[in-house]
Amino acid sequence: MTIEQWLEDGKSDAQRRKLPELANLLEGLSRATAALRAADWNDDAERDSYVSALSQPEPPTA
Amino acid sequence: MNTGSITTLAPKVASGALRSERLTEDALAAIASLQPSLNAFITVLADTALRRAREADKEIAAGRYLGPLHGMPISLKDLVDVVGVPTTAASRLREQHIAKRDAPVTSHLKHAGAVIVGKTNLHEFAFGTTNEDSGWGPARHPDDPTRSPGGSSGGSAVSVRAGMALASVGTDTGGSIRIPAAACGIVGLKPAWGEISAEGVVPLSRQLDHVGPLGRSVDDVELLYHVMRGVSPPSTAGMHDSLSGITLATLGGYFKERMSVDVESVVDAAYESIARAGAKLASASLAHAAQIAPVYLHLVLADAAAYHATALEQRPDAYCPKVRLRLEMGRHIMAEDYVRALNGRHVISQEIDAALSHVDALILPALAVEAPPIGAETVAVRGGSEPVRNIMLRCTQPFNLSRHPAISVPCGTTKAGLPVGLQIVANRTHDVLRIARAVERTLAMRA
């Protein structure tokens, strides 16, 4: 499901349950979900597995 | 008011020069005096505490000394079961709850002779960083009651700082021991995940929850750490751990870019003192630091929603409104995003492992801002505005994801006189404590 569709469904649920403040929270969560989905470790059936996408941390520099 | 630490007071108690009854009476007097303004406790166990203190004095006089916790007044976050006492989790949802048995951590503390003076206030179900959403009202900062003491173990930190207890037990899912310890100017230890049993402790997210101590010195939290695991504490008397030859990496980038200027100034001064004491300072960063908050959010929201789903359906109005909304938000997390977050936790843990592979410990503030005003939704940081919850979790939550042990030790105060905590993260709790003891000693010599 796309984030846009998910957010639309969530807002409808919030409205139905008379929790208007929940809609605002879901807006914020949708941004966090977008950031999570954009991470390079995520699997993608058309690409290599996430293991190869792991970025190595920068080693400490004295 | 009780002003000493457990490890400095214990020899006097052991010798009979200081009675547990006196220490407990002082703690209860501080509670009676300060509870109206600080609201640190949900349940005060005055009668049982005094009875237990008198028993401890008799046991010690009869030669049955149990160790340095014997007769010491301590508090427990009201998530931890004590038989016969409510465990409210600061929620009216659990107002009628009475614990049927002691949590293992409670049992260990009782067996070591600790005197439990009461159950402390917290952010409802530990689901917040400020302690202001509690069914019993907000706990307040001991230096400035218009401010939050941090959370979720806010009442625990206040009780230790204000002389209502000599130490306390808290829990830490995203920073809930280290944040209030930093905000209140005491020491707070999050041991490695699983070292201290979380059985009998109301969960927030079982994969991220850690149980640990708050106290007035590194020696005190080390003592409690061992006792809470059911292990006899080794003597730390005369131990003078040194920073000489230690390599510490400061975490920059993401961890500094939203740090208040005042906090940064205090922390930088601490770094200079640590370097002068012989530690080698390096720098490190985490490649996926920007994804830490989204990963954490998806895990904690979904885990909490699963635990609360039935109660949310049946008694939604029993929750504090903001906590209820966050739990409702968790019910919208999609399974596929939860899996992405689980994978992200793995990636971030590996990066922290790698950063630690080159050094003895990582150091950074425990809390990037001063204790915020109660009721604030945002705080001003470097000309911008940051949501309070996000900014308070920023420096601590990575080590809940990775489950590394971490401690906050006081490292100074801002221009406004509010405490700042320095966080030390290592691979083993033993190393965290060893380095923290040396840092504490170095910073004390500076004063």
Side-chain angles (χ1 to χ4, degrees):
Chain A
M1 182 184 292
T2 66
I3 293 173
E4 291 74 20
Q5 183 60 54
W6 169 87
L7 182 57
E8 192 176 313
D9 291 353
K11 285 180 171 178
S12 298
D13 178 63
Q15 192 173 23
R16 180 180 59 78
R17 299 172 62 205
K18 298 184 171 52
L19 294 170
E21 305 96 327
L22 180 58
N24 294 333
L25 292 179
L26 291 172
E27 290 266 12
L29 178 58
S30 73
R31 290 189 287 275
T33 304
L36 180 67
R37 290 189 180 188
D40 61 5
W41 65 70
N42 288 313
D43 288 324
D44 181 334
E46 287 189 310
R47 292 193 295 138
D48 291 341
S49 71
Y50 88 97
V51 174
S52 63
L54 277 176
S55 296
Q56 294 303 309
E58 297 171 25
T61 52
Chain B
M1 180 176 119
N2 290 319
T3 54
S5 68
I6 290 174
T7 41
T8 57
L9 293 168
K12 295 175 188 170
V13 172
S15 70
L18 180 61
R19 292 170 64 82
S20 171
E21 183 178 10
R22 172 65 190 276
L23 287 172
T24 304
E25 284 173 344
D26 285 353
L28 293 170
I31 294 171
S33 164
L34 296 171
Q35 176 67 7
S37 57
L38 301 182
N39 199 27
F41 281 81
I42 289 175
T43 303
V44 180
L45 302 167
D47 292 343
T48 54
L50 279 172
R51 189 170 64 246
R52 181 68 199 105
R54 289 174 190 133
E55 287 170 2
D57 287 331
K58 286 180 187 169
E59 290 160 1
I60 293 165
R64 298 196 300 275
Y65 183 59
L66 298 173
L69 258 188
H70 202 170
M72 297 296 173
I74 67 163
S75 62
L76 301 183
K77 186 178 187 177
D78 202 12
L79 282 181
V80 182
D81 281 350
V82 176
V83 65
V85 177
T87 307
T88 68
S91 181
R92 295 294 176 181
L93 184 74
R94 289 174 63 98
E95 200 166 10
Q96 306 304 321
H97 172 272
I98 301 288
K100 294 184 179 66
R101 62 184 68 87
D102 284 332
V105 69
T106 307
S107 182
H108 292 318
L109 289 163
K110 284 182 174 177
H111 284 135
V115 174
I116 298 170
V117 294
K119 309 285 293 293
T120 55
N121 201 352
L122 63 144
H123 209 112
E124 186 180 39
F125 282 107
F127 208 7
T129 56
T130 61
N131 217 131
E132 48 192 64
D133 295 311
S134 160
W136 277 257
R140 295 178 178 276
H141 195 288
D143 293 335
D144 178 354
T146 68
R147 291 180 183 266
S148 161
S152 63
S153 311
S156 287
V158 175
S159 74
V160 174
R161 172 64 193 276
M164 301 158 143
L166 291 175
S168 192
V169 172
T171 64
D172 190 317
T173 304
S176 286
I177 289 172
R178 291 160 289 159
I179 290 168
C184 292
I186 63 168
V187 180
L189 171 69
K190 179 190 82 67
W193 185 86
E195 282 192 291
I196 294 175
S197 171
E199 185 185 338
V201 180
V202 177
L204 176 57
S205 161
R206 293 188 197 278
Q207 64 177 310
L208 303 175
D209 292 342
H210 299 63
V211 180
L214 299 93
R216 294 181 178 169
S217 69
V218 175
D219 281 347
D220 278 10
V221 300
E222 175 159 17
L223 167 66
L224 264 81
Y225 159 70
H226 290 298
V227 169
M228 290 162 71
R229 292 161 63 218
V231 172
S232 295
S235 173
T236 56
M239 284 181 69
H240 294 296
D241 294 306
S242 168
L243 288 171
S244 181
I246 298 278
T247 304
L248 304 172
T250 61
L251 273 175
Y254 169 88
F255 295 96
K256 287 195 84 169
E257 63 197 26
R258 299 281 196 279
M259 193 187 302
S260 102
V261 173
D262 278 353
V263 168
E264 184 177 24
S265 163
V266 173
V267 169
D268 283 348
Y271 291 166
E272 286 176 22
S273 297
I274 288 167
R276 277 200 300 273
K280 185 177 175 185
L281 294 188
S283 62
S285 60
L286 305 179
H288 286 95
Q291 275 82 31
I292 288 169
V295 166
Y296 176 83
L297 187 65
H298 284 76
L299 296 179
V300 76
L301 283 177
D303 289 352
Y307 179 77
H308 288 277
T310 303
L312 281 170
E313 291 294 335
Q314 295 176 352
R315 296 185 59 202
D317 294 336
Y319 288 90
C320 293
K322 288 181 182 174
V323 171
R324 179 199 170 190
L325 283 172
R326 274 211 295 283
L327 292 168
E328 293 285 1
M329 180 166 56
R331 303 179 81 189
H332 287 267
I333 299 283
M334 290 178 59
E336 63 180 83
D337 294 318
Y338 189 78
V339 171
R340 291 181 177 107
L342 286 171
N343 288 339
R345 184 165 86 74
H346 177 68
V347 169
I348 290 161
S349 298
Q350 282 190 337
E351 290 178 3
I352 295 171
D353 281 337
L356 278 166
S357 69
H358 303 273
V359 298
D360 294 288
L362 306 174
I363 53 173
L364 68 164
L367 181 57
V369 294
E370 296 174 324
I374 289 174
E377 295 288 340
T378 59
V379 289
V381 181
R382 295 183 186 271
S385 177
E386 293 290 327
V388 165
R389 178 181 166 80
N390 295 5
I391 197 71
M392 292 183 82
L393 288 168
R394 193 172 178 95
C395 293
T396 48
Q397 63 188 0
F399 313 110
N400 294 81
L401 294 176
S402 72
R403 299 173 169 180
H404 285 90
I407 196 169
S408 177
V409 294
C411 69
T413 55
T414 62
K415 283 182 279 189
L418 291 165
V420 175
L422 181 68
Q423 185 175 201
I424 300 162
V425 185
N427 281 316
R428 299 184 309 159
T429 306
H430 170 79
D431 294 326
V432 164
L433 290 164
R434 176 174 58 86
I435 295 166
R437 189 165 25 249
V439 166
E440 180 184 58
R441 185 161 157 265
T442 296
L443 299 180
M445 286 164 61
R446 176 187 65 167

